[in-house]
Amino acid sequence: MPAESKNEPAALRFKIRGMDCAEEVTALKRELVPLCGGEERIVFDVLRGKMTIAPGAPPVTAQAIREAVGRTGMEALPWSEASPGPVSGWARHGRLWMCAASGLLLLGGFVVQALLRGGVVQALAGKAQALPWWAVLPYLGAAISGAWFILPRALLALRKLRPDMNLLMTIAAAGAVAIGEWFEAATVTFLFSLALLLESWSVGRARRAIQALVAVTPPMARLRSGPEAPVTERAVAEVPVGATVLVRPGERVPLDGVLLAGTTEVDQSPITGESRPVPKTVGDQLFAGTINGDGAIELRTTSTLEDTQLSRIVRMVEEAQSRRAPSEQWVERFARIYTPVMLALAVLLATVPPLIAGGGWGRWLYQALVLLVIACPCALVISTPVSVVSGLTAAARAGILIKGGAFLETAAHLKGMALDKTGTLTHGRARVQKVLPLNEHTEGDLLRIAAALESNSTHPLARAVLDYAAKALVEAKPAESFQALQGLGAEGVVDGTRYWIGSHRLLEERGQETPEIHQQAATLEDAGHSLVAIGNDRHVCGLISVGDGVREAADGVVRALHDLGLEKVVMLTGDNRHTAEAVGVATGVDEIKAELLPGDKVKAVEDLARRLGVVAMVGDGVNDAPALAASSLGIAMGGIGTAAAVETADVTLIADDLGRLPWLVEHARRTLRVIHQNIYFALGVKALFLVLAAANLATLWMAIAADMGASLLVVANGLRLLSSGVKGDIGKRAANADASPAHAAAVPKRLPDKGRDCWPS
């Protein structure tokens, strides 16, 4: 949720004790939507047990919200981002204690019954109602303990005439007591309370996975106010923007910032999922939660604790839960109809057969109770949310921020993908690719002359030359008598000699291009490089090629996307046709669309969607925003340090790593497969026991054990996604596509940055 203005009412935030799954969220909505005037004002964060009520009309008070939540059997407490507040032992472990008490009492009652009946088999076959009253007490205690957290919600569902799983279990247990099946009544409540306990544990595991991201930020930071000032420690939450922070070797970076002094390597895996440390020098960006290598460094903070990249990632993953996947929505709609239908079927099963066939009321009432237990939609309801939350969390660990289950499911259905060129398939930065000295000049001479002539220029090609000269430790004084040559280059005096620098056209106009030089220049340009020529009145001193570079795994990513079954991978760019074709050949895309304005990119994406259906657009998240919005799935590159990209796209590749695209598609499909497996399994178990109940072969404890087992299996299946990483064959193939020397020789890695129109591509 964005921060509120000082002139606007603040949002109300609560910690909801007892909110662990979609069933509880549904119950809360029933009470809160009428109170708040609409569902859009309420945001639920199941991972952290948090609920936020946005300001609006009608106004609501915190007390009214607490009372409404209390009517559901849950508890609303004030939420503090800094500290959620103390939690009592009962609030933390009460469900465990009551479940354990129920299990122990059930075991004690069964031992007593077995002793009285002369054995385990006889105890299972006998009737609990024939037991002495004191032997029934353990079963009664087990039923009460097991139903302790279930009964209040069941009564609420009955009062609202909206049957749910709690009401079904309560009716089943009460019916078992009514017909004297004390053992089965106790077993039903114990196993159901155990299922709810394990469900709560599974959500807690996913919750801890997200909280582990927050925990990587150190609590304290060391600050220095000046070169000679002493070092002081301060809580990270109190460090302002612009402060100088010291980080020792092996420590975690406390806040986002820019490196001021020192060199090091930084493990960015907590943020980006990168497997290798990244070298950092002065001026490079650092991120909170990353791990410093062997160098002692100083950084200038660029954000507060609430605005770090890590904090944004955590917030986005939490908020993603409100954007439910289509599968989640279908399950909720299905359960809304399924539960009352099954309740009606149970009534029919208890009454119709005895009325038609005569007699046997107890038998059919028992089978109706079995049907109620089978009807419990617990496994079905929790099957999808656990899988979606696990999938979103695993993606965040891998450096992919997905804004909701709906977008994760969309990625599983992709048929095509449009990729922007500059900044996506290429690095988006002009860099010197080759220095070719001529006429007895050395590379150092050529760079010194070029740097002197370009020292006052802001042109991208000039900046690339200056950066390259600086890295080569070439020192150059600005040229004297400098004069710009409009549209061609410049000239000036360096060490008493007048030199010129400029494009291939300037070289031709000066009449100094020999056949040999022409051939060398043409070779560089054919490789997709922009040409910078340097010379004087006597001869050409040399050539420098400058260009943008194709991302190392770009062609491997395109091949991997094809391997995954995507029908078309298309490149869109505002650059000229010659440059676009060079990049297209290097990356192996299916189609190339060049010289496009932003509106043209939108039309290209819409055309691709008409041909294929579900398509993604991958761009920088700002200049490509119209095309990102027009696609089925907008994917932004450059998440680190780019808040706009995180906020506008459906998916953000945090590490700027193109190799994550195949993994995203593969992971989304894996998540969807798990969701479908869970749904089919949950429905299959229920269908099986419906048949067994109709054949009088199922018992209450068998039904609840099967339902609990189904719940545990779908939860465990969903939690498997938490261990998903960029380890699959497709991910490896995309990441290592350029490993072979043959491949490196075949694909030109540096491509031109010339010809771009006023809309950066």
Side-chain angles (χ1 to χ4, degrees):
M1 298 287 292
E4 293 83 11
S5 166
K6 292 181 180 179
N7 299 322
E8 297 178 354
L12 299 174
R13 295 182 174 88
F14 299 93
K15 173 78 173 178
I16 306 298
R17 288 181 180 165
M19 183 177 70
D20 293 317
C21 76
E23 187 75 12
E24 280 105 17
V25 170
T26 301
L28 288 167
K29 285 180 180 178
R30 290 170 183 165
E31 292 294 326
L32 294 172
V33 168
L35 182 64
C36 297
E39 187 175 334
E40 64 278 357
R41 290 180 60 187
I42 313 170
V43 177
F44 294 97
D45 177 2
V46 178
L47 279 183
R48 292 201 293 174
K50 176 183 174 183
M51 180 183 71
T52 302
I53 309 295
V60 292
T61 64
Q63 181 60 31
I65 296 296
R66 284 194 289 269
E67 291 174 358
V69 172
R71 290 194 293 270
T72 68
M74 289 173 268
E75 183 182 7
L77 301 172
W79 176 277
S80 169
E81 291 288 350
S83 174
V87 180
S88 66
W90 174 254
R92 185 182 293 111
H93 303 299
R95 195 186 294 271
L96 173 62
W97 293 341
M98 296 308 290
C99 182
S102 179
L104 291 173
L105 288 169
L106 172 62
L107 178 62
F110 183 74
V111 169
V112 171
Q113 183 174 340
L115 291 174
L116 292 175
R117 292 297 176 191
V120 172
V121 175
Q122 292 79 0
L124 290 173
K127 293 291 184 181
Q129 64 183 9
L131 293 172
W133 66 268
W134 53 268
V136 172
L137 290 179
Y139 286 142
L140 179 62
I144 293 173
S145 301
W148 191 266
F149 290 95
I150 302 169
L151 187 58
R153 298 182 188 181
L155 294 175
L156 175 67
L158 182 62
R159 190 165 63 249
K160 298 289 184 179
L161 297 179
R162 288 171 176 157
D164 61 9
M165 65 180 73
N166 299 288
L167 180 60
L168 296 182
M169 289 299 102
T170 302
I171 293 174
V177 169
I179 62 176
E181 295 288 350
W182 288 95
F183 167 71
E184 303 217 5
T187 303
V188 164
T189 56
F190 164 67
L191 290 178
F192 188 60
S193 66
L194 178 61
L196 293 180
L197 175 66
L198 293 172
E199 178 188 326
S200 175
W201 168 84
S202 70
V203 174
R205 180 179 171 186
R207 186 176 294 164
R208 289 188 295 274
I210 288 296
Q211 291 172 340
L213 289 174
V214 183
V216 301
T217 302
M220 305 295 290
R222 283 188 297 279
L223 275 65
R224 176 179 286 164
S225 57
E228 304 299 329
V231 176
T232 59
E233 283 199 352
R234 186 182 300 183
V236 172
E238 300 174 1
V239 177
V241 174
T244 299
V245 175
L246 280 67
V247 184
R248 295 170 181 166
E251 291 184 339
R252 291 187 182 270
V253 177
L255 292 164
D256 291 358
V258 176
L259 187 58
L260 288 179
T263 58
T264 189
E265 287 189 340
V266 175
D267 177 5
Q268 297 188 157
S269 59
I271 309 297
T272 66
E274 292 170 288
S275 59
R276 299 177 181 175
V278 178
K280 298 288 183 178
T281 59
V282 173
D284 287 343
Q285 187 76 43
L286 298 169
F287 304 97
T290 56
I291 305 169
N292 184 26
D294 296 332
I297 57 174
E298 294 183 10
L299 64 94
R300 183 183 70 254
T301 60
T302 56
S303 71
T304 60
L305 180 61
E306 293 77 13
D307 294 327
T308 63
Q309 181 68 22
L310 178 62
S311 297
R312 289 202 298 268
I313 291 170
V314 172
R315 281 199 302 271
M316 295 303 294
V317 172
E318 290 166 350
E319 291 169 4
Q321 298 164 81
S322 64
R323 302 176 177 93
R324 294 178 300 161
S327 297
E328 289 183 272
Q329 298 173 28
W330 178 87
V331 167
E332 184 174 315
R333 291 194 301 269
F334 179 83
R336 195 179 301 146
I337 299 170
Y338 164 86
T339 303
V341 167
M342 295 302 290
L343 186 59
L345 284 177
V347 173
L348 291 175
L349 185 62
T351 57
V352 172
L355 289 174
I356 294 176
W361 286 93
R363 168 199 167 191
W364 290 107
L365 178 59
Y366 184 84
Q367 292 305 314
L369 296 177
V370 172
L371 181 61
L372 285 180
V373 173
I374 296 168
C376 175
C378 183
L380 183 64
V381 170
I382 68 174
S383 62
T384 305
V386 170
S387 301
V388 169
V389 169
S390 299
L392 293 173
T393 305
R397 288 173 169 177
I400 302 173
L401 180 60
I402 305 173
K403 291 187 176 180
F407 304 121
L408 181 61
E409 191 162 323
T410 299
H413 296 295
L414 288 178
K415 298 296 183 183
M417 188 174 291
L419 297 154
D420 178 46
K421 180 184 77 68
T422 307
T424 301
L425 285 171
T426 68
H427 291 286
R429 299 184 301 274
R431 291 183 287 188
V432 170
Q433 310 304 326
K434 191 170 185 180
V435 178
L436 185 62
L438 301 171
N439 295 311
E440 299 184 357
H441 286 277
T442 66
E443 182 174 324
D445 290 338
L446 195 63
L447 288 174
R448 182 173 53 82
I449 296 168
L453 293 169
E454 300 282 29
S455 60
N456 295 314
S457 176
T458 58
H459 191 279
L461 299 185
R463 302 315 303 172
V465 170
L466 290 170
D467 289 344
Y468 189 85
K471 290 180 180 178
L473 303 179
V474 173
E475 296 183 2
K477 296 180 180 179
E480 300 173 356
S481 304
F482 178 82
Q483 181 181 356
L485 305 176
Q486 190 66 34
L488 296 173
E491 60 180 1
V493 176
V494 180
D495 295 335
T497 302
R498 177 166 289 277
Y499 292 92
W500 54 264
I501 186 170
S503 63
H504 195 170
R505 181 181 170 190
L506 177 60
L507 175 62
E508 292 172 341
E509 289 190 2
R510 294 189 68 90
Q512 293 179 286
E513 186 178 25
T514 65
E516 293 79 9
I517 292 176
H518 175 80
Q519 182 60 43
Q520 290 170 321
T523 300
L524 293 174
E525 290 179 327
D526 288 344
H529 299 170
S530 297
L531 188 69
V532 177
I534 301 100
N536 54 35
D537 293 338
R538 300 188 306 277
H539 55 246
V540 176
C541 303
L543 306 174
I544 299 176
S545 67
V546 179
D548 193 1
V550 171
R551 291 184 182 271
E552 283 68 15
D555 60 328
V557 166
V558 173
R559 288 201 306 274
L561 291 172
H562 284 139
D563 291 343
L564 285 166
L566 270 68
E567 298 176 28
K568 293 287 183 182
V569 180
V570 180
M571 185 183 74
L572 309 180
T573 180
D575 216 335
N576 63 71
R577 171 64 57 177
H578 176 79
T579 300
E581 289 179 350
V583 176
V585 170
T587 57
V589 295
D590 299 302
E591 296 178 15
I592 300 167
K593 297 183 181 295
E595 300 175 2
L596 303 178
L597 295 173
D600 299 324
K601 290 185 179 181
V602 171
K603 293 178 182 177
V605 170
E606 291 175 342
D607 176 66
L608 189 64
R610 278 192 297 271
R611 286 186 285 154
L612 302 179
V614 183
V615 299
M617 169 66 190
V618 187
D620 62 8
V622 179
N623 296 313
D624 295 305
L628 289 170
S631 65
S632 310
L633 186 72
I635 303 175
M637 299 288 291
I640 285 187
T642 310
V646 176
E647 292 167 1
T648 57
D650 305 321
V651 177
T652 300
L653 306 184
I654 301 170
D656 239 0
D657 183 359
L658 200 65
R660 295 292 196 267
L661 286 176
W663 186 88
L664 169 63
V665 176
E666 194 178 26
H667 176 65
R669 292 178 181 176
R670 184 187 305 115
T671 302
L672 195 59
R673 284 196 302 271
V674 168
I675 290 172
H676 289 165
Q677 290 166 5
N678 287 346
I679 291 174
Y680 298 150
F681 178 74
L683 291 176
V685 168
K686 295 186 183 304
L688 173 63
F689 269 81
L690 282 174
V691 174
L692 293 176
N696 197 23
L697 297 175
T699 64
L700 275 176
W701 68 268
M702 286 170 56
I704 190 62
D707 186 75
M708 184 195 72
S711 298
L712 292 180
L713 287 174
V714 298
V715 166
N717 198 32
L719 290 176
R720 285 192 306 116
L721 293 167
L722 283 174
S723 60
S724 298
V726 191
K727 299 176 182 178
D729 291 339
I730 290 178
K732 288 181 180 178
R733 185 160 64 251
N736 301 321
D738 302 302
S740 69
H743 176 81
V747 179
K749 292 299 175 192
R750 306 302 175 194
L751 297 160
D753 200 44
K754 64 181 180 179
R756 190 184 305 169
D757 54 37
C758 61
W759 292 91
S761 59

